[in-house]
Amino acid sequence: AQSVTQPDIHITVSEGASLELRCNYSYGATPYLFWYVQSPGQGLQLLLKYFSGDTLVQGIKGFEAEFKRSQSSFNLRKPSVHWSDAAEYFCAVGAATFGYSSASKIIFGSGTRLSIRP
Amino acid sequence: GAVVSQHPSRVICKSGTSVKIECRSLDFQATTMFWYRQFPKKSLMLMATSNEGSKATYEQGVEKDKFLINHASLTLSTLTVTSAHPEDSSFYICSARPVPPGQGRQGGRTYEQYFGPGTRLTVT
């Protein structure tokens, strides 16, 4: 079964420092991978996604992620964080199901809460 | 583009009553919409997949008679929490998947989902 693991529940980094959020997935085929960000009390915003091709994916707000098949990882990085980056970050994998309209669902990791130290 | 709205954003209801939450895709058509539930400081739990014009597919452990889902049009899905209890208090988020261009209403196996801002339900 497909699954996503985010081993870090909470991370605190200083403003201006670099950031890496870890994500490991379990999937039998080439995965569809996503990173979403959620601000308190808000919905989810897509930061970036990987479907195929270049394994280094650029996203919005200066984020990037690298797909490493050998490590089953899709870690999110940012070279210099800003106070506005404080939020909850979710890694997710697309899980194929078969049926009417071939609908496919997304399975989310447990999330990593990012705090920024002034 | 690709905006999804939810209404209401917050609702407080008394135990035993029912409450309806709407999810609308504002600038695209969506044959498939998803309903998630999020507990405080927890991840999103998929409740059900809603396909326009057909019955919703519920995830294991989700009571279909309690969480009624209707997807009456390509831009609207509703979630009705029936006979609400305090344990139903949660943050409910919907998402909508656009119909891929050129693939008709059956769509293809795509994963693009656009999320609504969520609805905070409090049952007293």
Side-chain angles (χ1 to χ4, degrees):
Chain A
Q2 301 89 349
S3 66
V4 179
T5 302
Q6 292 180 250
D8 303 306
I9 297 173
H10 184 203
I11 285 181
T12 300
V13 299
S14 297
E15 189 168 17
S18 63
L19 169 71
E20 182 168 28
L21 301 182
R22 296 184 291 167
C23 172
N24 292 96
Y25 67 89
S26 172
Y27 190 65
T30 300
Y32 295 83
L33 295 162
F34 307 84
W35 274 100
Y36 288 89
V37 60
Q38 184 182 34
S39 297
Q42 301 296 314
L44 275 70
Q45 182 181 23
L46 179 66
L47 286 176
L48 47 80
K49 61 191 177 190
Y50 171 78
F51 284 175
S52 64
D54 194 346
T55 57
L56 184 62
V57 181
Q58 301 297 321
I60 62 172
K61 304 184 178 185
F63 286 93
E64 67 177 26
E66 186 171 12
F67 170 59
K68 293 185 177 180
R69 184 188 299 276
S70 62
Q71 299 178 19
S72 297
S73 69
F74 189 57
N75 295 348
L76 181 71
R77 300 194 294 250
K78 186 170 184 178
S80 176
V81 298
H82 186 261
W83 64 266
S84 60
D85 293 325
E88 189 86 20
Y89 290 80
F90 292 97
C91 182
V93 63
T97 58
F98 297 92
Y100 178 72
S101 83
S102 298
S104 303
K105 57 187 180 183
I106 292 178
I107 295 173
F108 286 86
S110 54
T112 297
R113 183 160 61 96
L114 174 64
S115 298
I116 307 297
R117 191 184 301 120
Chain B
V3 178
V4 176
S5 70
Q6 280 184 242
H7 178 79
S9 57
R10 290 178 176 270
V11 58
I12 300 173
C13 69
K14 293 189 176 183
S15 187
T17 63
S18 296
V19 60
K20 179 185 288 187
I21 302 170
E22 292 186 349
C23 177
R24 292 183 185 273
S25 56
L26 298 185
D27 50 2
F28 65 96
Q29 292 184 327
T31 52
T32 304
M33 290 184 173
F34 301 85
W35 286 96
Y36 296 84
R37 181 173 179 176
Q38 186 178 32
F39 294 96
K41 299 185 179 181
K42 297 290 186 182
S43 186
L44 281 75
M45 180 191 77
L46 179 64
M47 299 175 66
T49 302
S50 166
N51 292 300
E52 184 261 341
S54 67
K55 291 184 178 181
T57 302
Y58 290 81
E59 295 298 303
Q60 191 173 8
V62 178
E63 299 176 61
K64 62 180 65 176
D65 294 330
K66 180 165 190 61
F67 298 99
L68 301 179
I69 291 173
N70 182 273
H71 193 158
S73 76
L74 287 173
T75 59
L76 173 65
S77 177
T78 60
L79 168 68
T80 301
V81 183
T82 62
S83 186
H85 288 99
E87 56 265 30
D88 298 325
S89 298
S90 194
F91 194 54
Y92 292 88
I93 301 176
C94 74
S95 69
R97 170 171 297 144
V99 176
Q103 296 190 36
R105 290 179 56 179
Q106 291 297 320
R109 191 185 311 158
T110 61
Y111 295 88
E112 295 280 355
Q113 291 185 30
Y114 299 95
F115 286 80
T119 296
R120 173 75 58 194
L121 170 63
T122 303
V123 184
T124 60

